[in-house]
Amino acid sequence: MTSIKQFQVTFDCAEPERVARFWCEVLGYVVPPPPQGFDSWDDFNRSLPPEERGAWFACSDPSGVGPRLFFQRVPEGKTAKNRLHLDVRAGTGLVGDERLATLQAECARLVALGATCVRVLLADEENESCIVMQDVEGNEFCLD
């Protein structure tokens, strides 16, 4: 059985760019260039519908060694759900049935280690399949 080596750390937060830039400073991470066709992230955000502006931000380790950090805006403050969870990248590059089968196999391996499968989110028009899980203490993470 191979072990997972790649993962993304996802933060639920109120102000994605602010939190991302903080972690850039803490870790020496960098903000990637804006999407092609945009001179800045501000230009990109202005191109989005108002409700989507500033909804997410990301940064990465310039050496390529550390995980990518992704920050997504959520409406709620921290109550019971983690404000931070890991996305374990078990299905990178896979789509459809092959991706789902790979995620389910990894889910079974992790359940045997004491994890809990919370729910399977099947692919739709926007997203590929992923599986929401909890570790042995109930901390949420996703197989994606």
Side-chain angles (χ1 to χ4, degrees), residues 27-43:
L27 300 172
Y29 272 38
V30 296
V31 174
Q36 188 172 9
F38 296 94
D39 292 330
S40 70
W41 282 101
D42 287 337
D43 289 344

Side-chain angles (χ1 to χ4, degrees), residues 1-137:
M1 192 54 78
T2 62
S3 61
I4 302 298
K5 301 283 188 223
Q6 184 182 40
F7 62 93
Q8 169 177 290
V9 179
T10 300
F11 293 75
D12 290 349
C13 55
E15 298 178 62
E17 184 172 353
R18 178 176 171 247
V19 178
R21 291 191 182 278
F22 167 79
W23 283 102
C24 282
E25 290 296 319
V26 169
L27 300 172
Y29 272 38
V30 296
V31 174
Q36 188 172 9
F38 296 94
D39 292 330
S40 70
W41 282 101
D42 287 337
D43 289 344
F44 171 74
N45 270 315
R46 282 191 290 275
S47 75
L48 298 173
E51 66 277 5
E52 293 179 25
R53 292 179 188 156
W56 62 271
F57 211 79
C59 60
S60 59
D61 179 353
S63 71
V65 175
R68 177 178 189 250
L69 304 180
F70 185 81
F71 304 85
Q72 61 188 7
R73 183 174 59 220
V74 296
E76 73 279 356
K78 172 67 174 137
T79 54
K81 183 179 184 279
N82 294 358
R83 296 275 302 169
L84 167 82
H85 71 268
L86 296 180
D87 285 344
V88 179
R89 309 305 305 265
T92 302
L94 302 175
V95 297
D97 291 340
E98 182 181 15
R99 178 184 176 88
L100 184 58
T102 298
L103 296 178
Q104 289 172 326
E106 184 64 9
C107 177
R109 184 179 79 84
L110 299 179
V111 165
L113 296 174
T116 302
C117 179
V118 176
R119 68 182 170 276
V120 176
L121 302 172
L122 298 176
D124 59 25
E125 298 80 35
E126 295 181 34
N127 300 295
E128 282 295 335
S129 296
C130 72
I131 300 175
V132 179
M133 301 190 71
Q134 293 178 336
D135 69 13
V136 294
E137 290 190 354

